[in-house]
mmCIF file of all heavy atoms in Angstrom:
data_model
loop_
_atom_site.group_PDB
_atom_site.id
_atom_site.type_symbol
_atom_site.label_atom_id
_atom_site.label_comp_id
_atom_site.label_asym_id
_atom_site.label_seq_id
_atom_site.Cartn_x
_atom_site.Cartn_y
_atom_site.Cartn_z
ATOM 1 N N TRP A 300 0.833 -1.202 0.000
ATOM 2 C CA TRP A 300 0.000 0.000 0.000
ATOM 3 C C TRP A 300 0.868 1.254 0.000
ATOM 4 O O TRP A 300 0.549 2.237 -0.698
ATOM 5 C CB TRP A 300 -0.941 -0.019 1.205
ATOM 6 C CG TRP A 300 -1.887 -1.176 1.156
ATOM 7 C CD1 TRP A 300 -1.837 -2.318 1.904
ATOM 8 C CD2 TRP A 300 -2.996 -1.327 0.264
ATOM 9 N NE1 TRP A 300 -2.851 -3.159 1.539
ATOM 10 C CE2 TRP A 300 -3.579 -2.584 0.546
ATOM 11 C CE3 TRP A 300 -3.550 -0.522 -0.723
ATOM 12 C CZ2 TRP A 300 -4.697 -3.051 -0.138
ATOM 13 C CZ3 TRP A 300 -4.660 -0.980 -1.405
ATOM 14 C CH2 TRP A 300 -5.225 -2.223 -1.117
ATOM 15 N N ALA A 301 1.949 1.254 0.760
ATOM 16 C CA ALA A 301 2.878 2.386 0.720
ATOM 17 C C ALA A 301 3.478 2.532 -0.674
ATOM 18 O O ALA A 301 3.643 3.643 -1.191
ATOM 19 C CB ALA A 301 3.972 2.204 1.763
ATOM 20 N N TYR A 302 3.816 1.407 -1.285
ATOM 21 C CA TYR A 302 4.337 1.401 -2.657
ATOM 22 C C TYR A 302 3.291 1.959 -3.615
ATOM 23 O O TYR A 302 3.605 2.783 -4.485
ATOM 24 C CB TYR A 302 4.698 -0.028 -3.006
ATOM 25 C CG TYR A 302 5.244 -0.292 -4.385
ATOM 26 C CD1 TYR A 302 6.409 0.307 -4.845
ATOM 27 C CD2 TYR A 302 4.613 -1.214 -5.217
ATOM 28 C CE1 TYR A 302 6.922 0.020 -6.103
ATOM 29 C CE2 TYR A 302 5.118 -1.522 -6.469
ATOM 30 C CZ TYR A 302 6.272 -0.899 -6.919
ATOM 31 O OH TYR A 302 6.780 -1.202 -8.159
ATOM 32 N N SER A 303 2.036 1.552 -3.455
ATOM 33 C CA SER A 303 0.966 2.014 -4.338
ATOM 34 C C SER A 303 0.656 3.493 -4.139
ATOM 35 O O SER A 303 0.064 4.129 -5.021
ATOM 36 C CB SER A 303 -0.306 1.190 -4.104
ATOM 37 O OG SER A 303 -0.086 -0.175 -4.408
ATOM 38 N N ALA A 304 1.045 4.047 -2.988
ATOM 39 C CA ALA A 304 0.819 5.466 -2.718
ATOM 40 C C ALA A 304 1.953 6.352 -3.218
ATOM 41 O O ALA A 304 1.842 7.585 -3.144
ATOM 42 C CB ALA A 304 0.625 5.683 -1.218
ATOM 43 N N GLU A 305 3.025 5.777 -3.729
ATOM 44 C CA GLU A 305 4.146 6.576 -4.224
ATOM 45 C C GLU A 305 3.731 7.600 -5.277
ATOM 46 O O GLU A 305 4.239 8.724 -5.277
ATOM 47 C CB GLU A 305 5.246 5.665 -4.769
ATOM 48 C CG GLU A 305 6.165 5.084 -3.712
ATOM 49 C CD GLU A 305 7.095 6.133 -3.128
ATOM 50 O OE1 GLU A 305 6.689 6.797 -2.142
ATOM 51 O OE2 GLU A 305 8.211 6.310 -3.640
ATOM 52 N N PRO A 306 2.807 7.276 -6.212
ATOM 53 C CA PRO A 306 2.394 8.312 -7.166
ATOM 54 C C PRO A 306 1.803 9.544 -6.492
ATOM 55 O O PRO A 306 2.046 10.669 -6.933
ATOM 56 C CB PRO A 306 1.341 7.584 -8.020
ATOM 57 C CG PRO A 306 1.724 6.141 -7.937
ATOM 58 C CD PRO A 306 2.223 5.961 -6.539
ATOM 59 N N PHE A 307 1.044 9.350 -5.400
ATOM 60 C CA PHE A 307 0.438 10.484 -4.716
ATOM 61 C C PHE A 307 1.512 11.326 -4.024
ATOM 62 O O PHE A 307 1.460 12.560 -4.040
ATOM 63 C CB PHE A 307 -0.572 10.002 -3.676
ATOM 64 C CG PHE A 307 -1.673 9.144 -4.229
ATOM 65 C CD1 PHE A 307 -2.353 8.262 -3.406
ATOM 66 C CD2 PHE A 307 -2.029 9.206 -5.563
ATOM 67 C CE1 PHE A 307 -3.366 7.460 -3.902
ATOM 68 C CE2 PHE A 307 -3.051 8.408 -6.075
ATOM 69 C CZ PHE A 307 -3.713 7.531 -5.239
ATOM 70 N N ARG A 308 2.477 10.657 -3.381
ATOM 71 C CA ARG A 308 3.547 11.392 -2.709
ATOM 72 C C ARG A 308 4.330 12.217 -3.714
ATOM 73 O O ARG A 308 4.669 13.392 -3.455
ATOM 74 C CB ARG A 308 4.485 10.423 -1.965
ATOM 75 C CG ARG A 308 5.539 11.130 -1.119
ATOM 76 C CD ARG A 308 6.534 10.152 -0.531
ATOM 77 N NE ARG A 308 7.319 9.486 -1.559
ATOM 78 C CZ ARG A 308 8.349 10.031 -2.197
ATOM 79 N NH1 ARG A 308 8.724 11.272 -1.919
ATOM 80 N NH2 ARG A 308 9.006 9.353 -3.109
ATOM 81 N N ARG A 309 4.622 11.627 -4.862
ATOM 82 C CA ARG A 309 5.398 12.361 -5.872
ATOM 83 C C ARG A 309 4.606 13.549 -6.424
ATOM 84 O O ARG A 309 5.175 14.612 -6.706
ATOM 85 C CB ARG A 309 5.826 11.420 -6.993
ATOM 86 C CG ARG A 309 6.918 10.462 -6.567
ATOM 87 C CD ARG A 309 7.509 9.698 -7.736
ATOM 88 N NE ARG A 309 8.530 8.779 -7.272
ATOM 89 C CZ ARG A 309 9.793 9.115 -7.051
ATOM 90 N NH1 ARG A 309 10.193 10.356 -7.265
ATOM 91 N NH2 ARG A 309 10.672 8.217 -6.633
ATOM 92 N N ARG A 310 3.299 13.378 -6.579
ATOM 93 C CA ARG A 310 2.526 14.516 -7.080
ATOM 94 C C ARG A 310 2.500 15.648 -6.059
ATOM 95 O O ARG A 310 2.596 16.822 -6.425
ATOM 96 C CB ARG A 310 1.102 14.082 -7.435
ATOM 97 C CG ARG A 310 0.322 15.201 -8.116
ATOM 98 C CD ARG A 310 -1.003 14.749 -8.654
ATOM 99 N NE ARG A 310 -1.716 15.860 -9.270
ATOM 100 C CZ ARG A 310 -2.975 15.812 -9.678
ATOM 101 N NH1 ARG A 310 -3.656 14.675 -9.554
ATOM 102 N NH2 ARG A 310 -3.560 16.855 -10.215
ATOM 103 N N LEU A 311 2.371 15.318 -4.782
ATOM 104 C CA LEU A 311 2.457 16.362 -3.752
ATOM 105 C C LEU A 311 3.814 17.055 -3.793
ATOM 106 O O LEU A 311 3.902 18.280 -3.650
ATOM 107 C CB LEU A 311 2.212 15.758 -2.372
ATOM 108 C CG LEU A 311 0.796 15.284 -2.078
ATOM 109 C CD1 LEU A 311 0.740 14.606 -0.712
ATOM 110 C CD2 LEU A 311 -0.202 16.433 -2.131
ATOM 111 N N ASP A 312 4.870 16.271 -4.002
ATOM 112 C CA ASP A 312 6.212 16.851 -4.113
ATOM 113 C C ASP A 312 6.284 17.824 -5.283
ATOM 114 O O ASP A 312 6.926 18.873 -5.194
ATOM 115 C CB ASP A 312 7.252 15.732 -4.301
ATOM 116 C CG ASP A 312 8.006 15.435 -3.018
ATOM 117 O OD1 ASP A 312 7.865 16.190 -2.049
ATOM 118 O OD2 ASP A 312 8.744 14.434 -3.002
ATOM 119 N N TRP A 313 5.678 17.439 -6.397
ATOM 120 C CA TRP A 313 5.696 18.315 -7.569
ATOM 121 C C TRP A 313 4.920 19.607 -7.273
ATOM 122 O O TRP A 313 5.410 20.713 -7.505
ATOM 123 C CB TRP A 313 5.091 17.609 -8.780
ATOM 124 C CG TRP A 313 4.918 18.535 -9.951
ATOM 125 C CD1 TRP A 313 3.843 19.345 -10.221
ATOM 126 C CD2 TRP A 313 5.868 18.794 -10.993
ATOM 127 N NE1 TRP A 313 4.052 20.084 -11.358
ATOM 128 C CE2 TRP A 313 5.292 19.762 -11.851
ATOM 129 C CE3 TRP A 313 7.133 18.295 -11.277
ATOM 130 C CZ2 TRP A 313 5.951 20.233 -12.982
ATOM 131 C CZ3 TRP A 313 7.793 18.778 -12.423
ATOM 132 C CH2 TRP A 313 7.209 19.736 -13.263
ATOM 133 N N LEU A 314 3.706 19.464 -6.771
ATOM 134 C CA LEU A 314 2.842 20.623 -6.566
ATOM 135 C C LEU A 314 3.403 21.590 -5.529
ATOM 136 O O LEU A 314 3.271 22.807 -5.671
ATOM 137 C CB LEU A 314 1.456 20.159 -6.116
ATOM 138 C CG LEU A 314 0.602 19.440 -7.164
ATOM 139 C CD1 LEU A 314 -0.664 18.891 -6.518
ATOM 140 C CD2 LEU A 314 0.251 20.370 -8.319
ATOM 141 N N TYR A 315 4.021 21.045 -4.479
ATOM 142 C CA TYR A 315 4.433 21.867 -3.337
ATOM 143 C C TYR A 315 5.934 21.781 -3.080
ATOM 144 O O TYR A 315 6.375 21.931 -1.936
ATOM 145 C CB TYR A 315 3.666 21.426 -2.084
ATOM 146 C CG TYR A 315 2.166 21.529 -2.222
ATOM 147 C CD1 TYR A 315 1.375 20.383 -2.267
ATOM 148 C CD2 TYR A 315 1.534 22.764 -2.303
ATOM 149 C CE1 TYR A 315 -0.006 20.466 -2.386
ATOM 150 C CE2 TYR A 315 0.161 22.860 -2.425
ATOM 151 C CZ TYR A 315 -0.609 21.709 -2.468
ATOM 152 O OH TYR A 315 -1.975 21.796 -2.594
ATOM 153 N N GLU A 316 6.708 21.578 -4.125
ATOM 154 C CA GLU A 316 8.152 21.413 -3.951
ATOM 155 C C GLU A 316 8.748 22.618 -3.221
ATOM 156 O O GLU A 316 8.522 23.779 -3.588
ATOM 157 C CB GLU A 316 8.842 21.233 -5.299
ATOM 158 C CG GLU A 316 10.315 20.887 -5.167
ATOM 159 C CD GLU A 316 10.943 20.473 -6.500
ATOM 160 O OE1 GLU A 316 10.489 20.971 -7.547
ATOM 161 O OE2 GLU A 316 11.872 19.656 -6.470
ATOM 162 N N GLY A 317 9.503 22.320 -2.176
ATOM 163 C CA GLY A 317 10.120 23.364 -1.384
ATOM 164 C C GLY A 317 9.290 23.793 -0.183
ATOM 165 O O GLY A 317 9.835 24.259 0.823
ATOM 166 N N TRP A 318 7.969 23.629 -0.273
ATOM 167 C CA TRP A 318 7.099 24.012 0.831
ATOM 168 C C TRP A 318 6.954 22.896 1.864
ATOM 169 O O TRP A 318 6.685 23.173 3.035
ATOM 170 C CB TRP A 318 5.700 24.367 0.319
ATOM 171 C CG TRP A 318 5.613 25.559 -0.571
ATOM 172 C CD1 TRP A 318 5.371 25.557 -1.917
ATOM 173 C CD2 TRP A 318 5.744 26.930 -0.204
ATOM 174 N NE1 TRP A 318 5.337 26.836 -2.411
ATOM 175 C CE2 TRP A 318 5.563 27.707 -1.374
ATOM 176 C CE3 TRP A 318 5.987 27.580 1.004
ATOM 177 C CZ2 TRP A 318 5.623 29.097 -1.367
ATOM 178 C CZ3 TRP A 318 6.039 28.970 1.009
ATOM 179 C CH2 TRP A 318 5.870 29.711 -0.161
ATOM 180 N N ILE A 319 7.059 21.622 1.400
ATOM 181 C CA ILE A 319 6.837 20.497 2.303
ATOM 182 C C ILE A 319 8.123 19.698 2.478
ATOM 183 O O ILE A 319 8.972 19.648 1.588
ATOM 184 C CB ILE A 319 5.707 19.573 1.801
ATOM 185 C CG1 ILE A 319 6.035 18.978 0.426
ATOM 186 C CG2 ILE A 319 4.386 20.309 1.750
ATOM 187 C CD1 ILE A 319 4.990 18.008 -0.082
ATOM 188 N N GLU A 320 8.245 19.106 3.648
ATOM 189 C CA GLU A 320 9.408 18.282 3.967
ATOM 190 C C GLU A 320 8.908 16.940 4.505
ATOM 191 O O GLU A 320 8.062 16.907 5.404
ATOM 192 C CB GLU A 320 10.277 18.979 5.019
ATOM 193 C CG GLU A 320 11.514 18.204 5.421
ATOM 194 C CD GLU A 320 12.346 18.963 6.439
ATOM 195 O OE1 GLU A 320 11.838 19.212 7.558
ATOM 196 O OE2 GLU A 320 13.483 19.322 6.116
ATOM 197 N N TRP A 321 9.436 15.863 3.946
ATOM 198 C CA TRP A 321 9.031 14.519 4.341
ATOM 199 C C TRP A 321 10.025 13.938 5.339
ATOM 200 O O TRP A 321 11.238 14.060 5.162
ATOM 201 C CB TRP A 321 8.972 13.600 3.121
ATOM 202 C CG TRP A 321 7.974 14.000 2.077
ATOM 203 C CD1 TRP A 321 8.176 14.879 1.050
ATOM 204 C CD2 TRP A 321 6.623 13.556 1.969
ATOM 205 N NE1 TRP A 321 7.033 14.996 0.299
ATOM 206 C CE2 TRP A 321 6.061 14.195 0.844
ATOM 207 C CE3 TRP A 321 5.845 12.666 2.710
ATOM 208 C CZ2 TRP A 321 4.746 13.970 0.435
ATOM 209 C CZ3 TRP A 321 4.533 12.443 2.303
ATOM 210 C CH2 TRP A 321 3.995 13.093 1.181
ATOM 211 N N LEU A 322 9.487 13.291 6.366
ATOM 212 C CA LEU A 322 10.323 12.572 7.324
ATOM 213 C C LEU A 322 9.817 11.129 7.399
ATOM 214 O O LEU A 322 8.900 10.825 8.176
ATOM 215 C CB LEU A 322 10.269 13.223 8.712
ATOM 216 C CG LEU A 322 11.066 12.499 9.807
ATOM 217 C CD1 LEU A 322 12.551 12.441 9.463
ATOM 218 C CD2 LEU A 322 10.855 13.176 11.159
ATOM 219 N N PRO A 323 10.387 10.227 6.583
ATOM 220 C CA PRO A 323 9.958 8.826 6.654
ATOM 221 C C PRO A 323 10.344 8.199 7.994
ATOM 222 O O PRO A 323 11.457 8.374 8.483
ATOM 223 C CB PRO A 323 10.718 8.160 5.497
ATOM 224 C CG PRO A 323 11.140 9.276 4.601
ATOM 225 C CD PRO A 323 11.382 10.434 5.516
#
């Protein structure tokens, strides 16, 4: 499920690049 959610994470990264920071 985490693997299947990778497209959503990448789109958020694209839309908000620089504004958001991920901490896995």
Side-chain angles (χ1 to χ4, degrees):
W300 297 105
Y302 179 60
S303 298
E305 278 288 88
F307 302 157
R308 186 186 64 78
R309 288 190 181 276
R310 187 172 179 189
L311 290 175
D312 258 351
W313 172 273
L314 290 173
Y315 301 112
E316 187 170 30
W318 296 108
I319 61 177
E320 180 179 63
W321 298 87
L322 177 61

